[in-house]
């Protein structure tokens, strides 16, 4: 009897029991929900299952990166929505990070006007709904651009108007794929050179020409590769025919408006995170760096920012996830993301609400978990190592 009580009172046993009970409860609730929904759908005469994914879509999409056409199936439409969502999310994260760092550093500037403008921007953005930014950029900025006949010409080959930015399109992407591969390879070489130079300096104290090699591998080699790719293909240059331009590739105004809204909105929150991270670094670090003869720019770049990243990265993860989720606001201006295309057009055409909503939620969940995993890995990599 005593051994049984000892087993029951064991904390590890109780923890395992509660966890198993919770998992079984969740599984049971899920099974009940699925069976109940299936029975109700059968009674209502509503089809279920994922066979609808192989039906012909018949939905026209104005902004396509995957080669989709109206004759493709709904699964292809699903991938178009994912591609468009990922495109605006990745670009918005990169631009918002850069803009947020600039504004956050400006907020701490000793220049009164610069600091005041940055502070006013942060307070304004943090107290305005994102939907306002989306509608402002779409109806207040993009819609104010001239009509196609009065387009703003960019070197006579690209044209900006209220229907988007029309650019030349190469007849074959193959040379640009090679150019992209060369660029990534040259950047990898530069990264390896930087690691070698750092290790060499720690061991011998001698510097390596990292800056000159960086200019070569990061700028010159990619520029030459893309120049070669541009000369190796024929270009479809847009031509004004009737009331609009024909040919080329069109960056639709909905994409530009949503991207601008996500960047300007998220940058305000990132700026406040950067400000807090910089101020979390002890002031003695800056004073010691100045005593060693480092200039203010070197202190910020070499001493303050690397230490501030340990404070900045965790809350920055939340902002990156917010960008992903906030991209769904593109449905308000008909940007063809996964919400607009799949949960909107495809759901209206098929009526498969449960399957479509479940697939959409799964996409956001998988991408969100991937972003969190990467940021957690990076946070662990830059964490302060102690004994």
């Amino acid at each position: 009897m005593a051994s049984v009580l000892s087993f029951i009172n064991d904390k590890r046993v109780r923890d395992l029991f509660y966890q198993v009970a919770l998992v079984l409860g969740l599984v049971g609730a899920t099974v009940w929900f699925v069976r109940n929904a299936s029975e109700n759908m059968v009674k209502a005469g509503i089809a279920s299952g994922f066979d609808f994914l192989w039906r012909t879509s018949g939905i026209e999409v104005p902004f396509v990166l995957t080669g989709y056409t109206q004759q493709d199936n709904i699964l292809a439409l699903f991938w178009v929505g994912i591609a468009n969502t990922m495109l605006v999310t990745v670009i918005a994260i990169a631009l918002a990070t850069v803009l947020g760092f600039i504004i956050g550093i400006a907020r701490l500037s000793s220049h009164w006007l610069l600091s005041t403008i940055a502070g006013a921007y942060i307070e304004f953005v943090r107290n305005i709904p994102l939907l306002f930014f989306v509608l402002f950029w779409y109806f207040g900025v993009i819609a104010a651009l001239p009509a196609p006949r009065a387009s703003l010409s960019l070197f006579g080959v690209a044209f900006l108007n209220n229907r988007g930015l029309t650019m030349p399109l190469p007849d074959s992407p193959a040379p640009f794929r090679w150019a992209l591969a060369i660029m990534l390879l040259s950047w990898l070489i530069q990264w390896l050179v930087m690691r070698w130079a750092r290790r060499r300096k720690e061991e011998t104290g001698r510097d390596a020409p990292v800056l000159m090699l960086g200019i070569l591998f990061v700028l010159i080699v990619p520029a030459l590769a893309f120049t070669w790719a541009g000369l190796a293909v024929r270009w479809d240059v847009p031509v004004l025919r009737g009331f609009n331009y024909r040919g080329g590739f069109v960056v639709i105004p909905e994409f530009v408006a949503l991207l601008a809204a996500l960047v300007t909105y998220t940058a305000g929150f990132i700026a406040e995170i950067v400000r807090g991270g910089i101020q979390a670094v002890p002031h003695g670090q800056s004073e010691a760096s100045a005593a060693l003869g480092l200039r203010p720019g070197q202190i910020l770049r070499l001493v303050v920012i690397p230490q501030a990243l340990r404070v900045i990265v965790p809350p920055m993860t939340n902002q990156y996830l917010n960008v992903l989720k906030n991209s769904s606001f593109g449905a308000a201006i008909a940007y063809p993301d996964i919400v607009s295309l799949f949960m909107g057009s495809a759901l209206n055409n098929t009526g498969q609400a449960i399957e479509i909503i479940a697939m959409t939620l799964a996409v956001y969940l998988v991408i969100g978990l991937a972003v969190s995993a990467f940021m957690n890995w990076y946070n662990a990599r830059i964490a302060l190592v102690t004994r």
Side-chain angles (χ1 to χ4, degrees):
M1 186 66 179
S3 61
V4 174
L5 291 176
S6 176
F7 177 78
I8 295 175
N9 292 327
D10 190 331
K11 183 177 182 302
R12 291 175 298 179
V13 174
R14 293 202 310 270
D15 291 346
L16 180 61
F17 171 78
Y18 293 141
Q19 292 176 22
V20 171
L22 178 60
V23 171
L24 291 177
L26 292 175
V27 171
T30 302
V31 170
W32 175 85
F33 173 78
V34 172
R35 291 186 61 183
N36 187 54
S38 300
E39 292 174 0
N40 291 335
M41 290 172 68
V42 170
K43 292 177 181 178
I46 301 175
S48 62
F50 294 91
D51 293 339
F52 72 95
L53 292 174
W54 280 265
R55 299 180 195 169
T56 300
S57 169
I59 298 172
E60 183 179 359
V61 181
F63 187 65
V64 177
L65 301 174
T66 61
Y68 163 87
T69 63
Q70 288 180 266
Q71 288 71 38
D72 290 331
N73 55 32
I74 294 177
L75 183 61
L77 181 71
F78 175 68
W79 291 116
V80 172
I82 294 177
N84 289 349
T85 297
M86 289 299 299
L87 177 68
V88 72
T89 298
V90 171
I91 298 177
I93 285 175
L95 296 180
T97 301
V98 174
L99 182 60
F101 261 85
I102 294 174
I103 297 174
I105 294 172
R107 182 70 179 88
L108 298 173
S109 173
S110 58
H111 192 286
W112 178 84
L113 181 60
L114 184 61
S115 176
T116 302
I117 293 175
Y121 177 85
I122 293 172
E123 294 302 321
F124 175 79
V125 167
R126 286 162 58 89
N127 291 282
I128 298 295
L130 173 60
L131 184 59
F132 168 83
F133 282 85
V134 175
L135 298 179
F136 166 76
W137 280 103
Y138 189 64
F139 293 106
V141 178
I142 305 297
L145 292 172
R149 287 181 175 272
S151 298
L152 302 176
S153 176
L154 304 176
F155 305 105
V157 294
F159 305 92
L160 179 65
N161 52 62
N162 56 14
R163 297 188 184 180
L165 175 64
T166 307
M167 304 180 296
L169 183 68
D171 62 349
S172 173
F176 287 94
R177 291 173 183 167
W178 282 106
L180 178 62
I182 292 172
M183 181 184 72
L184 295 177
L185 179 61
S186 64
W187 287 0
L188 175 62
I189 294 174
Q190 175 61 20
W191 178 71
L192 294 174
V193 168
M194 291 175 63
R195 292 194 61 180
W196 167 78
R198 187 183 302 113
R199 195 162 52 244
R200 179 193 185 195
K201 187 168 185 177
E202 291 174 353
E203 295 174 354
T204 65
R206 298 171 59 187
D207 290 322
V210 177
L211 179 60
M212 298 301 297
L213 292 175
I215 294 174
L216 174 64
F217 290 118
V218 177
L219 297 178
I220 296 178
V221 172
L224 291 176
F226 279 99
T227 301
W228 164 80
L231 296 175
V233 298
R234 297 181 62 183
W235 293 87
D236 180 15
V237 180
V239 178
L240 181 63
R241 294 176 183 172
F243 296 99
N244 203 358
Y245 282 89
R246 305 296 178 185
F249 179 79
V250 180
V251 180
I252 59 176
E254 291 80 8
F255 171 80
V256 178
L258 179 61
L259 177 63
L262 290 174
V263 170
T264 52
Y265 179 78
T266 309
F269 292 87
I270 292 179
E272 194 67 2
I273 293 173
V274 171
R275 180 198 62 79
I278 292 176
Q279 289 185 327
V281 178
H283 190 61
Q285 296 288 321
S286 301
E287 294 177 341
S289 303
L292 292 174
L294 296 180
R295 296 186 294 273
Q298 292 177 314
I299 295 175
L300 182 67
R301 179 170 55 89
L302 301 176
V303 179
V304 176
I305 294 296
Q307 297 184 67
L309 283 177
R310 302 183 180 103
V311 180
I312 291 173
V313 168
M316 193 83 83
T317 304
N318 187 49
Q319 294 304 319
Y320 290 167
L321 294 175
N322 285 340
V323 172
L324 170 64
K325 293 178 287 187
N326 288 339
S327 66
S328 61
F329 275 88
I333 55 175
Y335 174 69
D337 69 332
I338 189 171
V339 173
S340 178
L341 289 180
F342 201 57
M343 283 186 60
S345 302
L347 193 153
N348 290 334
N349 283 9
T350 63
Q352 308 281 148
I354 293 180
E355 294 85 351
I356 287 178
I357 292 175
M359 290 178 66
T360 305
L361 293 178
V363 167
Y364 280 107
L365 178 63
V366 170
I367 298 175
L369 291 176
V371 172
S372 298
F374 173 78
M375 294 300 291
N376 287 337
W377 169 81
Y378 182 70
N379 185 46
R381 182 177 176 83
I382 64 173
L384 184 64
V385 179
T386 58
R387 294 183 180 180

